[in-house]
Amino acid sequence: MKKTSTRLADGRELVYYDLSDDTVRDAVDRRPLERTVTTSEIRRDPLLGDSVAVASHRQGRTYHPPADECPLCPSRGERLSEIPDSSYDVVVFENRFPSLAGDSGRCEVVCFTSDHTASFADLSEEQARLVLDAWADRTSELSHLPSVEQVFCFENRGPEIGVTLGHPHGQIYAYPFTTPRTALMLRQVAAHKEATGGENLFDAVLQRELSGERVVLEGEHWAAFVPYAAHWPYEVHLYPKRRVPDLLGLDEAARTEFPKVYLELLKRFDRIFGENEPATPYIAAWHQAPFGSLEDFDGVTRDDFALHLELFTIRRTSGKLKFLAGSESGMNVFINDVPPERAAERLREVASS
């Protein structure tokens, strides 16, 4: 992997990740852009103890542009985009309309391929490995920013999810705090560790699932399963079998096997509802240990956390979406319409040949 860092016309950082070591990236952003002005602010909710990002400047962000005006495609001729070069393998840049900025963190866009009509599932194993390496590199870089406590790599796919740009891409949020969902996990890990005399909760969950009926697929270094208490109709958790706290902890064997396992998982997601359904909308979310202090979690360390990816769709059956209504949105109590065992069975049925 070759990494080349440059700057866009308004001062934002852009980083090319290339498969070939002899690739030269010297294209200049020719757009007449002014410096980006953001109004991101973090406000803490005194009743719930969580945080909300207020970012009013995002109201003006690009919304469903036609394909020939996509800002994530390469620049060609006089058609100028966020990527100055005429081609790329993987590219990461600071979001022009970030939810988090300055002392409130940072937001980046990750373009998986220059092919506007592709999806992550269409990538080759070599391309998918490059994306994984880019995620790991950005995690390392962002973790060293003084305002950052947690790095979150994720992909939203499909207009049903709220995606406003059709080009295959993901995002990275670098939060100035430990996110509420991660804090809940850490409290559970601490409680389990104390109750069992030191057993790791993530290890216990993984071993239980591997011996059960909800395994979707399994490799030498990775395992994917539908969790016992899945929140979403089709939800899969992907774990490295050797517990590591973050993407940086993956060894070469795990990194090498990841593309094959993950691409197969994404292809199965596209087959769940049949050939005549549009592409399955999904969210793919990497959970990594925070880089900030864990002193609030009763003896838990970063090494007690287990890196894993959660993949789920908001489609519950053909032509129908799972909406977060009263119980889910009002009380955070999910009601799942599909038994996890049946979801796992379906995901095994649609394995590619």
Side-chain angles (χ1 to χ4, degrees):
M1 177 185 77
K2 181 181 181 182
K3 175 183 175 183
T4 306
S5 180
T6 184
R7 292 281 171 179
L8 296 173
D10 57 5
R12 289 175 293 132
E13 185 180 19
L14 180 144
V15 184
Y16 294 99
Y17 293 90
D18 287 295
L19 291 168
S20 176
D21 288 337
D22 60 3
T23 302
V24 176
R25 298 294 184 188
D26 55 8
V28 176
D29 185 3
R30 294 181 284 129
R31 297 173 297 170
L33 297 180
E34 296 182 356
R35 288 275 174 174
T36 302
V37 177
T38 61
T39 57
S40 180
E41 176 188 0
I42 301 296
R43 296 187 180 183
R44 188 167 178 81
D45 186 323
L47 295 180
L48 298 179
D50 59 10
S51 299
V52 175
V54 180
S56 59
H57 63 276
R58 284 176 53 79
Q59 286 282 33
R61 66 187 184 273
T62 308
Y63 187 80
H64 293 299
D68 60 357
E69 296 179 17
C70 174
L72 306 185
C73 287
S75 293
R76 287 173 182 154
E78 294 307 307
R79 187 203 171 289
L80 306 179
S81 73
E82 289 281 70
I83 297 92
D85 217 324
S86 59
S87 67
Y88 63 84
D89 292 333
V90 172
V91 69
V92 179
F93 60 88
E94 288 184 75
N95 198 323
R96 192 177 179 188
F97 303 96
S99 303
L100 309 167
D103 293 339
S104 297
R106 176 157 155 158
C107 293
E108 297 184 339
V109 177
V110 184
C111 299
F112 302 140
T113 171
S114 60
D115 184 352
H116 182 84
T117 62
S119 69
F120 200 116
D122 296 323
L123 300 182
S124 68
E125 291 187 16
E126 185 180 36
Q127 289 173 306
R129 167 63 190 266
L130 184 61
V131 175
L132 176 66
D133 289 342
W135 281 331
D137 182 73
R138 297 316 302 160
T139 296
S140 176
E141 291 287 334
L142 294 172
S143 71
H144 289 94
L145 296 180
S147 63
V148 172
E149 288 197 13
Q150 187 171 358
V151 179
F152 175 47
C153 306
F154 65 101
E155 179 190 2
N156 298 328
R157 188 229 200 172
E160 300 93 335
I161 298 292
V163 175
T164 58
L165 297 176
H167 196 102
H169 73 287
Q171 299 180 66
I172 303 175
Y173 278 20
Y175 298 101
F177 50 80
T178 296
T179 60
R181 189 173 176 85
T182 302
L184 284 174
M185 292 184 197
L186 290 169
R187 292 189 190 102
Q188 290 298 105
V189 168
H192 185 85
K193 189 174 185 179
E194 181 178 4
T196 60
E199 182 182 60
N200 182 272
L201 178 59
F202 287 107
D203 291 350
V205 168
L206 179 58
Q207 291 308 310
R208 182 183 71 178
E209 294 292 358
L210 286 177
S211 63
E213 58 182 319
R214 290 180 296 275
V215 174
V216 174
L217 60 88
E218 183 178 356
E220 183 179 354
H221 304 284
W222 293 86
F225 58 87
V226 177
Y228 171 74
H231 288 58
W232 299 91
Y234 290 92
E235 173 183 341
V236 176
H237 293 190
L238 178 62
Y239 276 68
K241 290 185 176 179
R242 181 179 69 86
R243 173 166 43 90
V244 295
D246 51 39
L247 291 162
L248 302 174
L250 294 173
D251 60 20
E252 182 60 28
R255 291 184 184 224
T256 298
E257 186 183 72
F258 170 78
K260 180 178 181 181
V261 174
Y262 187 48
L263 291 173
E264 170 65 17
L265 197 56
L266 292 180
K267 290 171 183 175
R268 293 190 191 190
F269 255 60
D270 272 342
R271 296 189 183 99
I272 297 172
F273 304 105
E275 297 294 332
N276 296 324
E277 282 289 318
T280 301
Y282 66 73
I283 292 175
W286 281 108
H287 291 263
Q288 306 192 80
F291 290 95
S293 172
L294 299 183
E295 62 183 17
D296 294 336
F297 301 104
D298 298 328
V300 171
T301 69
R302 291 192 81 249
D303 290 335
D304 290 320
F305 195 87
L307 167 76
H308 63 285
L309 181 139
E310 297 184 6
L311 174 68
F312 61 89
T313 178
I314 62 170
R315 188 176 291 160
R316 57 187 174 87
T317 189
S318 180
K320 297 178 181 178
L321 300 180
K322 165 67 176 177
F323 292 101
L324 299 189
S327 185
E328 291 90 351
S329 295
M331 284 292 145
N332 200 29
V333 178
F334 276 68
I335 301 170
N336 192 347
D337 304 296
V338 180
E341 293 73 23
R342 173 54 190 149
E345 181 181 24
R346 177 60 182 158
L347 285 161
R348 290 192 297 269
E349 291 173 351
V350 294
S352 62
S353 58

